[in-house]
Short mmCIF file of all heavy atoms in Angstrom, two decimals:
data_model
loop_
_atom_site.label_atom_id
_atom_site.label_comp_id
_atom_site.label_asym_id
_atom_site.label_seq_id
_atom_site.Cartn_x
_atom_site.Cartn_y
_atom_site.Cartn_z
N ILE N 114 19.30 2.38 10.94
CA ILE N 114 18.68 1.19 10.36
C ILE N 114 17.43 1.56 9.56
O ILE N 114 16.80 0.69 8.97
CB ILE N 114 18.36 0.11 11.43
CG1 ILE N 114 17.36 0.63 12.46
CG2 ILE N 114 19.61 -0.40 12.08
CD1 ILE N 114 16.87 -0.43 13.44
N GLY N 115 17.08 2.85 9.55
CA GLY N 115 15.95 3.33 8.75
C GLY N 115 14.60 3.14 9.38
O GLY N 115 13.59 3.12 8.68
N ASP N 116 14.54 3.03 10.70
CA ASP N 116 13.27 2.79 11.40
C ASP N 116 13.14 3.72 12.60
O ASP N 116 13.26 3.29 13.75
CB ASP N 116 13.21 1.32 11.84
CG ASP N 116 11.85 0.93 12.37
OD1 ASP N 116 10.88 1.65 12.10
OD2 ASP N 116 11.78 -0.10 13.06
N PRO N 117 12.90 5.02 12.37
CA PRO N 117 12.91 5.97 13.49
C PRO N 117 11.68 5.93 14.38
O PRO N 117 11.77 6.29 15.55
CB PRO N 117 13.02 7.33 12.80
CG PRO N 117 12.41 7.11 11.46
CD PRO N 117 12.70 5.69 11.08
N PHE N 118 10.53 5.50 13.87
CA PHE N 118 9.30 5.60 14.64
C PHE N 118 9.07 4.34 15.48
O PHE N 118 8.07 3.64 15.33
CB PHE N 118 8.11 5.89 13.73
CG PHE N 118 8.21 7.24 13.10
CD1 PHE N 118 8.44 7.38 11.75
CD2 PHE N 118 8.09 8.38 13.87
CE1 PHE N 118 8.54 8.64 11.18
CE2 PHE N 118 8.19 9.64 13.32
CZ PHE N 118 8.43 9.77 11.96
N GLN N 119 9.97 4.12 16.40
CA GLN N 119 9.84 3.03 17.35
C GLN N 119 9.35 3.59 18.68
O GLN N 119 9.72 4.70 19.06
CB GLN N 119 11.18 2.33 17.55
CG GLN N 119 11.68 1.63 16.31
CD GLN N 119 12.98 0.90 16.58
OE1 GLN N 119 13.51 0.90 17.67
NE2 GLN N 119 13.49 0.26 15.53
N PRO N 120 8.55 2.84 19.42
CA PRO N 120 8.05 3.33 20.71
C PRO N 120 9.18 3.68 21.70
O PRO N 120 9.02 4.59 22.51
CB PRO N 120 7.21 2.17 21.23
CG PRO N 120 6.82 1.39 20.03
CD PRO N 120 7.96 1.54 19.05
N GLY N 121 10.31 3.01 21.60
CA GLY N 121 11.43 3.31 22.49
C GLY N 121 11.96 4.72 22.30
O GLY N 121 12.47 5.34 23.24
N ASN N 122 11.86 5.24 21.08
CA ASN N 122 12.35 6.60 20.83
C ASN N 122 11.50 7.65 21.53
O ASN N 122 11.99 8.71 21.90
CB ASN N 122 12.42 6.87 19.33
CG ASN N 122 13.62 6.21 18.69
OD1 ASN N 122 14.54 5.76 19.37
ND2 ASN N 122 13.62 6.13 17.38
N VAL N 123 10.22 7.36 21.70
CA VAL N 123 9.34 8.29 22.43
C VAL N 123 9.83 8.41 23.88
O VAL N 123 10.00 9.51 24.40
CB VAL N 123 7.87 7.81 22.39
CG1 VAL N 123 6.99 8.70 23.23
CG2 VAL N 123 7.39 7.75 20.95
N ARG N 124 10.09 7.27 24.50
CA ARG N 124 10.59 7.25 25.88
C ARG N 124 11.95 7.95 25.96
O ARG N 124 12.20 8.73 26.89
CB ARG N 124 10.70 5.80 26.36
CG ARG N 124 11.22 5.64 27.77
CD ARG N 124 11.35 4.19 28.19
NE ARG N 124 11.81 3.27 27.16
CZ ARG N 124 13.09 3.13 26.80
NH1 ARG N 124 14.03 3.82 27.39
NH2 ARG N 124 13.43 2.26 25.86
N ARG N 125 12.82 7.71 24.99
CA ARG N 125 14.15 8.32 25.00
C ARG N 125 14.06 9.84 24.88
O ARG N 125 14.77 10.57 25.57
CB ARG N 125 15.00 7.74 23.88
CG ARG N 125 15.35 6.29 24.12
CD ARG N 125 16.13 5.71 22.94
NE ARG N 125 16.25 4.29 23.11
CZ ARG N 125 15.72 3.39 22.29
NH1 ARG N 125 15.04 3.77 21.23
NH2 ARG N 125 15.87 2.10 22.53
N LEU N 126 13.19 10.32 24.00
CA LEU N 126 13.04 11.78 23.85
C LEU N 126 12.46 12.40 25.12
O LEU N 126 12.87 13.50 25.52
CB LEU N 126 12.16 12.10 22.64
CG LEU N 126 12.87 11.99 21.30
CD1 LEU N 126 11.86 12.01 20.16
CD2 LEU N 126 13.88 13.11 21.13
N ARG N 127 11.53 11.73 25.76
CA ARG N 127 10.98 12.25 27.02
C ARG N 127 12.07 12.29 28.09
O ARG N 127 12.14 13.24 28.88
CB ARG N 127 9.81 11.39 27.48
CG ARG N 127 8.57 11.60 26.66
CD ARG N 127 7.44 10.71 27.11
NE ARG N 127 6.25 10.93 26.30
CZ ARG N 127 5.26 10.09 26.22
NH1 ARG N 127 5.28 8.94 26.91
NH2 ARG N 127 4.22 10.34 25.46
N GLN N 128 12.92 11.26 28.14
CA GLN N 128 14.02 11.26 29.10
C GLN N 128 15.00 12.39 28.82
O GLN N 128 15.48 13.04 29.74
CB GLN N 128 14.76 9.91 29.08
CG GLN N 128 13.99 8.80 29.71
CD GLN N 128 14.70 7.45 29.57
OE1 GLN N 128 15.73 7.34 28.92
NE2 GLN N 128 14.12 6.43 30.18
N ILE N 129 15.28 12.65 27.53
CA ILE N 129 16.16 13.75 27.17
C ILE N 129 15.57 15.07 27.66
O ILE N 129 16.27 15.91 28.24
CB ILE N 129 16.41 13.78 25.65
CG1 ILE N 129 17.30 12.61 25.23
CG2 ILE N 129 17.04 15.10 25.22
CD1 ILE N 129 17.41 12.42 23.73
N GLY N 130 14.27 15.27 27.44
CA GLY N 130 13.62 16.50 27.90
C GLY N 130 13.68 16.66 29.40
O GLY N 130 13.98 17.74 29.92
N LEU N 131 13.44 15.57 30.13
CA LEU N 131 13.48 15.61 31.59
C LEU N 131 14.90 15.90 32.09
O LEU N 131 15.10 16.75 32.97
CB LEU N 131 12.97 14.29 32.17
CG LEU N 131 13.01 14.16 33.69
CD1 LEU N 131 12.07 15.18 34.33
CD2 LEU N 131 12.66 12.75 34.11
N ILE N 132 15.89 15.21 31.54
CA ILE N 132 17.28 15.43 31.96
C ILE N 132 17.72 16.85 31.63
O ILE N 132 18.37 17.51 32.45
CB ILE N 132 18.22 14.39 31.31
CG1 ILE N 132 17.90 12.99 31.82
CG2 ILE N 132 19.69 14.74 31.59
CD1 ILE N 132 18.54 11.88 31.01
N LEU N 133 17.35 17.34 30.46
CA LEU N 133 17.70 18.71 30.07
C LEU N 133 17.06 19.71 31.03
O LEU N 133 17.70 20.70 31.42
CB LEU N 133 17.26 18.97 28.64
CG LEU N 133 17.72 20.26 27.98
CD1 LEU N 133 19.23 20.37 27.98
CD2 LEU N 133 17.20 20.34 26.56
N ALA N 134 15.83 19.47 31.45
CA ALA N 134 15.16 20.36 32.41
C ALA N 134 15.86 20.32 33.76
O ALA N 134 16.08 21.37 34.39
CB ALA N 134 13.70 19.95 32.56
N ILE N 135 16.27 19.12 34.21
CA ILE N 135 16.95 19.01 35.50
C ILE N 135 18.32 19.68 35.45
O ILE N 135 18.68 20.42 36.38
CB ILE N 135 17.08 17.52 35.90
CG1 ILE N 135 15.71 16.95 36.25
CG2 ILE N 135 18.05 17.34 37.06
CD1 ILE N 135 15.68 15.44 36.41
N VAL N 136 19.07 19.46 34.37
CA VAL N 136 20.39 20.09 34.25
C VAL N 136 20.25 21.61 34.20
O VAL N 136 20.99 22.34 34.86
CB VAL N 136 21.15 19.55 33.01
CG1 VAL N 136 22.37 20.40 32.70
CG2 VAL N 136 21.55 18.10 33.24
N THR N 137 19.29 22.09 33.42
CA THR N 137 19.07 23.53 33.31
C THR N 137 18.69 24.14 34.66
O THR N 137 19.23 25.17 35.07
CB THR N 137 17.98 23.83 32.27
OG1 THR N 137 18.39 23.32 31.01
CG2 THR N 137 17.71 25.31 32.16
N GLY N 138 17.75 23.50 35.35
CA GLY N 138 17.35 23.99 36.67
C GLY N 138 18.49 23.91 37.67
O GLY N 138 18.65 24.81 38.51
N GLY N 139 19.29 22.85 37.59
CA GLY N 139 20.43 22.71 38.49
C GLY N 139 21.48 23.78 38.28
O GLY N 139 22.02 24.35 39.24
N VAL N 140 21.78 24.07 37.01
CA VAL N 140 22.75 25.13 36.71
C VAL N 140 22.22 26.47 37.19
O VAL N 140 22.95 27.27 37.79
CB VAL N 140 23.07 25.16 35.20
CG1 VAL N 140 23.82 26.42 34.82
CG2 VAL N 140 23.86 23.92 34.80
N TRP N 141 20.94 26.73 36.95
CA TRP N 141 20.35 28.00 37.37
C TRP N 141 20.39 28.15 38.89
O TRP N 141 20.78 29.19 39.41
CB TRP N 141 18.91 28.06 36.86
CG TRP N 141 18.22 29.36 37.10
CD1 TRP N 141 18.37 30.51 36.39
CD2 TRP N 141 17.27 29.65 38.12
NE1 TRP N 141 17.57 31.50 36.91
CE2 TRP N 141 16.88 30.98 37.98
CE3 TRP N 141 16.71 28.89 39.15
CZ2 TRP N 141 15.96 31.59 38.81
CZ3 TRP N 141 15.78 29.50 39.97
CH2 TRP N 141 15.42 30.82 39.80
N ALA N 142 20.02 27.10 39.61
CA ALA N 142 20.03 27.16 41.08
C ALA N 142 21.44 27.23 41.63
O ALA N 142 21.71 27.98 42.58
CB ALA N 142 19.31 25.93 41.65
N THR N 143 22.37 26.49 41.03
CA THR N 143 23.75 26.50 41.51
C THR N 143 24.38 27.86 41.30
O THR N 143 25.06 28.38 42.19
CB THR N 143 24.58 25.41 40.77
OG1 THR N 143 23.98 24.14 41.05
CG2 THR N 143 26.01 25.42 41.22
N GLN N 144 24.16 28.47 40.14
CA GLN N 144 24.73 29.79 39.91
C GLN N 144 24.13 30.80 40.88
O GLN N 144 24.83 31.68 41.38
CB GLN N 144 24.53 30.24 38.48
CG GLN N 144 25.25 31.55 38.19
CD GLN N 144 25.28 31.89 36.72
OE1 GLN N 144 24.96 31.07 35.88
NE2 GLN N 144 25.67 33.10 36.42
N GLY N 145 22.85 30.69 41.17
CA GLY N 145 22.23 31.59 42.15
C GLY N 145 22.80 31.39 43.53
O GLY N 145 23.05 32.36 44.26
N LEU N 146 23.03 30.14 43.92
CA LEU N 146 23.61 29.84 45.23
C LEU N 146 25.04 30.36 45.33
O LEU N 146 25.42 30.98 46.34
CB LEU N 146 23.58 28.33 45.48
CG LEU N 146 24.12 27.85 46.81
CD1 LEU N 146 23.22 28.32 47.95
CD2 LEU N 146 24.22 26.34 46.82
N VAL N 147 25.83 30.13 44.30
CA VAL N 147 27.21 30.62 44.30
C VAL N 147 27.23 32.14 44.34
O VAL N 147 28.02 32.74 45.08
CB VAL N 147 27.98 30.07 43.08
CG1 VAL N 147 29.32 30.77 42.91
CG2 VAL N 147 28.19 28.57 43.21
N ALA N 148 26.38 32.78 43.55
CA ALA N 148 26.35 34.24 43.53
C ALA N 148 25.91 34.82 44.87
O ALA N 148 26.42 35.85 45.31
CB ALA N 148 25.42 34.73 42.42
N ALA N 149 24.98 34.16 45.55
CA ALA N 149 24.47 34.69 46.82
C ALA N 149 25.39 34.39 47.99
O ALA N 149 25.57 35.21 48.88
CB ALA N 149 23.08 34.11 47.09
N ARG N 150 26.01 33.20 48.00
CA ARG N 150 26.78 32.76 49.17
C ARG N 150 28.28 32.97 49.04
O ARG N 150 28.93 33.38 49.98
CB ARG N 150 26.53 31.27 49.43
CG ARG N 150 25.11 30.94 49.73
CD ARG N 150 24.80 31.24 51.13
NE ARG N 150 23.44 30.81 51.44
CZ ARG N 150 22.98 30.80 52.64
NH1 ARG N 150 23.71 31.16 53.64
NH2 ARG N 150 21.73 30.42 52.86
N LEU N 151 28.82 32.63 47.87
CA LEU N 151 30.28 32.61 47.76
C LEU N 151 30.85 33.84 47.07
O LEU N 151 31.94 34.29 47.43
CB LEU N 151 30.72 31.36 46.99
CG LEU N 151 30.28 30.03 47.59
CD1 LEU N 151 30.65 28.89 46.66
CD2 LEU N 151 30.91 29.84 48.95
N ALA N 152 30.17 34.33 46.08
CA ALA N 152 30.71 35.45 45.30
C ALA N 152 29.76 36.62 45.32
O ALA N 152 29.49 37.24 44.30
CB ALA N 152 30.97 34.98 43.88
N ASN N 153 29.28 36.95 46.49
CA ASN N 153 28.34 38.05 46.65
C ASN N 153 29.00 39.35 46.22
O ASN N 153 30.03 39.72 46.73
CB ASN N 153 27.87 38.13 48.10
CG ASN N 153 26.61 38.95 48.24
OD1 ASN N 153 26.07 39.41 47.25
ND2 ASN N 153 26.16 39.12 49.46
N GLY N 154 28.40 40.03 45.26
CA GLY N 154 28.95 41.28 44.76
C GLY N 154 29.90 41.09 43.59
O GLY N 154 30.23 42.06 42.92
N VAL N 155 30.36 39.89 43.34
CA VAL N 155 31.27 39.64 42.23
C VAL N 155 30.53 38.96 41.08
O VAL N 155 30.68 39.31 39.93
CB VAL N 155 32.47 38.77 42.67
CG1 VAL N 155 33.37 38.44 41.50
CG2 VAL N 155 33.25 39.47 43.76
N MET N 156 29.69 38.01 41.42
CA MET N 156 28.93 37.26 40.41
C MET N 156 27.46 37.52 40.63
O MET N 156 26.99 37.57 41.75
CB MET N 156 29.26 35.77 40.56
CG MET N 156 28.50 34.88 39.64
SD MET N 156 28.78 33.15 40.06
CE MET N 156 29.99 32.73 38.87
N GLU N 157 26.74 37.67 39.52
CA GLU N 157 25.30 37.88 39.61
C GLU N 157 24.57 36.57 39.34
O GLU N 157 24.99 35.78 38.51
CB GLU N 157 24.85 38.93 38.60
CG GLU N 157 25.34 40.33 38.94
CD GLU N 157 24.77 41.35 37.98
OE1 GLU N 157 23.68 41.10 37.43
OE2 GLU N 157 25.41 42.38 37.80
N SER N 158 23.47 36.37 40.04
CA SER N 158 22.67 35.17 39.77
C SER N 158 21.87 35.38 38.49
O SER N 158 21.62 36.50 38.07
CB SER N 158 21.74 34.87 40.94
OG SER N 158 20.85 35.94 41.13
N GLN N 159 21.47 34.27 37.88
CA GLN N 159 20.69 34.35 36.66
C GLN N 159 19.26 34.73 37.00
O GLN N 159 18.73 34.38 38.04
CB GLN N 159 20.68 33.00 35.95
CG GLN N 159 22.02 32.60 35.39
CD GLN N 159 21.95 31.27 34.67
OE1 GLN N 159 21.13 30.43 34.98
NE2 GLN N 159 22.81 31.09 33.69
#
Side-chain angles (χ1 to χ4, degrees):
I114 62 173
D116 189 18
F118 294 111
Q119 294 183 1
N122 283 346
V123 175
R124 180 182 38 80
R125 292 177 190 116
L126 281 167
R127 287 178 180 161
Q128 287 175 356
I129 289 171
L131 178 64
I132 294 167
L133 189 57
I135 290 169
V136 167
T137 300
V140 167
W141 185 78
T143 300
Q144 186 169 348
L146 182 67
V147 168
R150 299 280 185 171
L151 302 174
N153 197 3
V155 177
M156 177 188 260
E157 291 185 27
S158 61
Q159 292 181 333

